[in-house]
Amino acid sequence: MTTPGQAHAEVRELVRQCWATVLELDPGEVEPHSNFFAAGGDSLLAVELVAIIGERLGFEIPLDPLFFEGTFAALSEVSCQQVGPDRPNPAGPGS
């Protein structure tokens, strides 16, 4: 069984991987203060990013944190807030 701390770590890693893929970066370059738009992102890529994350997690992620704050920390935090006892495990069924 995955603990909340493990689930949040998994969500942050998933967001990091998706962020890096969409922006064509090495995941190691994505830090909490990394800004999506400063790193070359635009509104279309932002929509693509949250769609990919939402698809992988199994629920919708809001765009607002990415547009208003623009940081990896903001997007990963809102993604982690969506994970709870009544939400799917980010690692998938049976994890």
Side-chain angles (χ1 to χ4, degrees):
M1 182 166 176
T2 303
T3 67
Q6 290 170 324
H8 289 179
E10 291 171 7
V11 169
R12 282 190 293 275
E13 185 56 30
L14 182 143
V15 172
R16 181 184 314 279
Q17 293 293 328
C18 294
W19 180 294
T21 299
V22 167
L23 292 177
E24 299 179 359
L25 300 171
D26 181 278
E29 295 177 68
V30 182
E31 298 185 8
H33 65 274
S34 295
N35 185 285
F36 184 79
F37 299 102
D42 58 30
S43 60
L44 294 176
L45 289 175
V47 171
E48 180 181 349
L49 175 60
V50 298
I52 291 168
I53 295 168
E55 183 178 304
R56 299 271 307 272
L57 292 176
F59 48 85
E60 190 173 319
I61 300 297
L63 270 170
D64 293 356
L66 192 54
F67 281 120
F68 292 123
E69 296 182 46
T71 63
F72 168 74
L75 185 59
S76 61
E77 178 62 28
V78 76
S79 299
C80 286
Q81 289 173 358
Q82 300 294 320
V83 176
D86 58 339
R87 294 289 194 169
N89 184 331
S95 296

